[in-house]
Amino acid sequence: MSLSLCSCAEQVRKLTEQASIMRREIKNLRQQIDGSIRAHKKQLSSIQSMLTDCMKHDDRLPSVTKSPSQSPGGIKQLLEHGRIQTVPIGYINSCFAVKTGTPRQPTICSSSRASLKIEPSVFNNPEHSLVGLEQYSHIWIIFLFHKNGQMSYKAKVKPPRLNGQRVGVYSTRSPHRPNALGLTLAKLERITGDTLHLSGVDIIAGTPVLDIKPYIPDYDSPKTRTDDTNSEYKQTSFTDPMDLDDEPDTLETSSEPSSEHSVCPAAASDFSSSERSGSSDILEEVKNYLRQQQLFPENPDEDKNTDTPEGAAVGTNPLSSSSLRFGHEDYSTIAAWVRAPPVSNLDVRFTPIAEKELKEFLPCDSTDSTRPKFQFLKGPDEAVAAIHGILSADPRSVYRRTRCQDRLFYFTLDTADITCWFGDGCAEVVRVKPVQSSELTNIV
């Protein structure tokens, strides 16, 4: 009798769990339907407003030039109202065929590769538009998130790195935005004719590219711009009350003094020569550090305490982490969760079978047709680095990470189908198989 009761209780428990899962799925479906309805209403209102504006413009334009696309005046009016018709300059040919497993940021997988061919419909001579671009090492790519599925968006989103916490969409790089535009930085490997060969990309194959621009640190890096504006400090005399000579005790309290770049009061006259050497940046950052220490003390009244020993004076006046910024943070600030997210990186390992299967792949420039070959990657070592970068950042969605019981994960890298398993704090690659011929056409 007791066995039958235990069996019934177990059945009831399983049915209760299944019912709970079904309720959650129904709730998710309802939310998706509501989002689709809202997106549909927004699109209808947008179309209605566009039709109304077009009718107004048609009434103002002469009868001969009714088409805004053919009339310079009509084009000017559309531009002034921020309505333009974008034309892709090319489409990405990437080692990532689908969204699943594609890194969310380019620095996650620096060994990923792609190519971009400029469409001949944009320029009669596409290669002419790339003249001079070979002088740059990196380029900005402005593209369209063409795989969003629907044009719905919300004011607050849940970035995967925040593990479900909501923040404003404009404080993230979420693809679900009012205008589904993406921006990424890629390394320019080489240019052959009208084709750019790139690395360190986070874009899937077939992505429409709207524009490319060269990356120029002098203009795009806040650190470089700040160095230029603060160049006057490099010529400041040491008689300045905020200069290094007025802080000998503070410098002597450093627990790990540098043997290569030592700073002392007697070296004030040699400061100009040290600037010409490689230590100018270090000295400038030390000056910024000391300057902020004087500007942002937490307890300024303690400076008047003459009973405190000089060696302990620095320790009793800790600087606020919110006001003091040193190094790269002295030039720009970012949200704390970007560098210290609640989701930690995972350890990545390969099973012996996966390692053996991955070694069967040949580099992209191989002529051997008897074994599987990469289309973009230069060999198994580069593939290992790419897989490690992708999995260590945990490419799963928040739902799969927190609610889904299935720990298997599948994604495609170049011409390889990867099967992996996620455990507690780790990801293990189980199998590496060549993609099927039908899937390969999506990459090529």
Side-chain angles (χ1 to χ4, degrees):
M1 187 66 180
S2 61
L3 294 176
S4 61
L5 290 175
C6 293
S7 178
C8 290
E10 183 66 20
Q11 291 293 332
V12 170
R13 186 184 65 81
K14 290 182 179 180
L15 291 174
T16 303
E17 291 180 354
Q18 292 178 1
S20 178
I21 294 174
M22 292 175 64
R23 289 193 188 97
R24 289 197 297 265
E25 293 296 335
I26 292 173
K27 182 180 178 181
N28 292 335
L29 289 175
R30 287 176 177 171
Q31 291 178 352
Q32 292 180 5
I33 293 173
D34 293 340
S36 300
I37 293 174
R38 288 195 297 269
H40 181 65
K41 291 181 178 178
K42 289 181 180 179
Q43 290 178 355
L44 285 179
S45 61
S46 176
I47 292 173
Q48 290 176 355
S49 63
M50 291 179 64
L51 289 175
T52 304
D53 292 341
C54 288
M55 293 176 63
K56 292 180 180 179
H57 293 321
D58 289 342
D59 294 338
R60 297 175 183 176
L61 293 175
S63 58
V64 181
T65 59
K66 285 291 184 180
S67 176
S69 61
Q70 297 177 357
S71 169
I75 295 176
K76 181 179 179 181
Q77 289 182 0
L78 292 177
L79 287 175
E80 289 178 351
H81 287 81
R83 296 187 178 94
I84 62 173
Q85 181 179 2
T86 59
V87 179
I89 64 171
Y91 297 86
I92 287 290
N93 190 13
S94 170
C95 63
F96 302 109
V98 294
K99 291 194 299 182
T100 304
T102 302
R104 298 187 178 97
Q105 301 298 333
T107 56
I108 293 177
C109 185
S110 59
S111 56
S112 59
R113 297 186 181 276
S115 62
L116 173 62
K117 182 178 181 180
I118 305 299
E119 290 290 316
S121 59
V122 179
F123 298 104
N124 293 330
N125 298 300
E127 62 275 6
H128 291 180
S129 64
L130 303 177
V131 174
L133 190 60
E134 72 280 354
Q135 303 176 31
Y136 300 90
S137 63
H138 293 76
I139 60 171
W140 293 109
I141 301 178
I142 303 173
F143 60 93
L144 188 68
F145 288 111
H146 69 302
K147 290 292 186 179
N148 275 358
Q150 55 186 1
M151 290 299 294
S152 62
Y153 50 86
K154 297 181 180 180
K156 285 189 175 183
V157 295
K158 300 177 181 178
R161 286 173 66 85
L162 277 179
N163 206 25
Q165 301 180 29
R166 291 181 180 271
V167 292
V169 65
Y170 290 127
S171 66
T172 71
R173 298 187 176 186
S174 170
H176 303 285
R177 322 176 73 84
N179 298 306
L181 297 179
L183 175 68
T184 189
L185 184 66
K187 183 178 181 182
L188 180 60
E189 297 288 346
R190 66 185 187 280
I191 299 176
T192 56
D194 58 356
T195 304
L196 294 84
H197 300 271
L198 312 169
S199 65
V201 296
D202 57 347
I203 313 177
I204 66 175
T207 298
V209 175
L210 303 181
D211 197 8
I212 56 176
K213 299 177 184 292
Y215 171 74
I216 306 175
D218 293 2
Y219 307 146
D220 300 338
S221 173
K223 180 180 184 301
T224 306
R225 292 202 300 262
T226 307
D227 285 344
D228 292 339
T229 57
N230 291 340
S231 60
E232 58 184 86
Y233 291 112
K234 295 183 179 180
Q235 300 176 358
T236 304
S237 172
F238 271 78
T239 58
D240 189 359
M242 298 177 67
D243 220 334
L244 291 178
D245 283 352
D246 295 335
E247 300 290 340
D249 296 335
T250 307
L251 294 175
E252 290 175 1
T253 57
S254 176
S255 59
E256 295 180 7
S258 173
S259 60
E260 297 180 0
H261 306 287
S262 60
V263 182
C264 61
S269 60
D270 299 332
F271 182 65
S272 59
S273 62
S274 65
E275 277 186 331
R276 289 190 293 270
S277 66
S279 63
S280 59
D281 293 338
I282 296 177
L283 293 176
E284 185 64 28
E285 289 190 351
V286 171
K287 288 182 62 179
N288 290 336
Y289 184 90
L290 298 177
R291 188 178 298 111
Q292 293 181 68
Q293 183 181 15
Q294 292 185 353
L295 292 176
F296 303 106
E298 279 193 352
N299 301 314
D301 295 336
E302 293 184 3
D303 294 338
K304 301 177 182 179
N305 187 2
T306 57
D307 298 333
T308 305
E310 293 180 356
V314 178
T316 57
N317 288 298
L319 298 175
S320 173
S321 59
S322 61
S323 59
L324 176 62
R325 296 172 300 199
F326 180 67
H328 291 289
E329 295 182 358
D330 185 37
Y331 307 99
S332 61
T333 57
I334 61 175
W337 62 267
V338 176
R339 291 177 179 167
V343 180
S344 59
N345 289 340
L346 303 178
D347 294 330
V348 181
R349 54 176 179 259
F350 291 76
T351 63
I353 296 178
E355 291 181 349
K356 182 179 179 180
E357 292 174 341
L358 189 57
K359 290 180 180 179
E360 291 294 320
F361 283 79
L362 297 173
C364 57
D365 55 356
S366 175
T367 57
D368 188 358
S369 60
T370 60
R371 292 164 55 186
K373 183 178 68 172
F374 290 119
Q375 182 186 359
F376 294 93
L377 303 179
K378 296 183 178 180
D381 293 338
E382 199 166 72
V384 169
I387 295 172
H388 187 278
I390 293 170
L391 295 181
S392 63
D394 199 345
R396 298 175 297 172
S397 64
V398 177
Y399 176 80
R400 288 183 62 92
R401 189 186 302 153
T402 58
R403 298 183 181 181
C404 187
Q405 297 180 357
D406 186 8
R407 296 194 172 189
L408 285 177
F409 187 80
Y410 309 91
F411 68 98
T412 301
L413 175 65
D414 205 332
T415 57
D417 278 335
I418 314 296
T419 303
C420 59
W421 177 87
F422 284 92
D424 295 334
C426 68
E428 186 174 48
V429 180
V430 181
R431 299 298 299 269
V432 181
K433 290 289 187 180
V435 298
Q436 302 298 325
S437 57
S438 59
E439 298 177 358
L440 188 60
T441 56
N442 295 330
I443 302 178
V444 180

